[in-house]
Amino acid sequence: MSGARRKARRRAVEVLYESEVRGISVDDVIARRRAQPEPPINEFTQSLARSIDERRARIDELLDTYAIGWTLERMPVVDRNILRMGAYELLWDDGIPDGVAIAEAVGVAKELSTDDSPSFISGLLSRLMENKSTLAL
């Protein structure tokens, strides 16, 4: 996967993070970022952030169900949003192979989160992938 796509995914996670931490809508974060020249926010980032936000309630339900020993509320905010992105791409974006969705989420976690986060994120997304065929989306 290209570096540009990884960067766009990381920016989508940053949009989701800012929305959650500031208690404002994803659209408000995108509008604010579009008004700033740097860093640019591309169409892929905007589309990904909005798509994740539209399915957030169902994604959160699934993450809460499949996280072993963790509640969604206990997870660090950045990890929660990386997981939302990975779950969205894994379960709803048919154009992205499962392995790529997981690898990209893990890659973003390596850039933005703690040393323990990539393995936690990989494990949880792998459980979702294994149960994908039985999930009601």
Side-chain angles (χ1 to χ4, degrees):
M1 203 47 51
S2 75
R5 278 282 166 113
R6 170 79 50 87
K7 193 178 286 186
R9 283 183 174 94
R10 189 178 71 227
R11 288 216 173 99
V13 168
E14 290 167 356
V15 167
L16 295 167
Y17 177 91
E18 184 176 340
S19 166
E20 184 171 349
V21 169
R22 294 182 64 200
I24 60 177
S25 74
V26 165
D27 282 334
D28 286 348
V29 175
I30 289 171
R32 198 180 61 71
R33 290 192 175 210
R34 285 181 65 127
Q36 301 171 326
E38 288 297 319
I41 182 165
N42 69 24
E43 214 40 62
F44 178 78
T45 296
Q46 293 175 59
S47 172
L48 182 58
R50 286 184 175 122
S51 296
I52 294 163
D53 192 51
E54 285 168 14
R55 290 174 178 83
R56 186 169 140 182
R58 181 63 179 136
I59 291 169
D60 285 0
E61 203 177 289
L62 291 167
L63 293 174
D64 219 17
T65 300
Y66 287 91
I68 297 171
W70 284 84
T71 60
L72 204 57
E73 296 75 36
R74 271 191 56 219
M75 292 175 199
V77 177
V78 70
D79 289 2
R80 195 165 44 230
N81 285 294
I82 293 168
L83 282 162
R84 286 173 177 146
M85 178 195 70
Y88 168 78
E89 290 195 323
L90 184 65
L91 302 172
W92 281 278
D93 192 331
D94 296 333
I96 298 177
D98 293 351
V100 172
I102 294 172
E104 285 296 301
V106 168
V108 171
K110 286 178 181 173
E111 293 176 30
L112 296 179
S113 198
T114 68
D115 290 344
D116 294 333
S117 295
S119 61
F120 173 71
I121 286 168
S122 176
L124 179 43
L125 292 176
S126 294
R127 273 193 297 287
L128 281 178
M129 182 181 71
E130 289 162 12
N131 293 284
K132 190 175 176 176
S133 64
T134 64
L135 298 175
L137 306 177

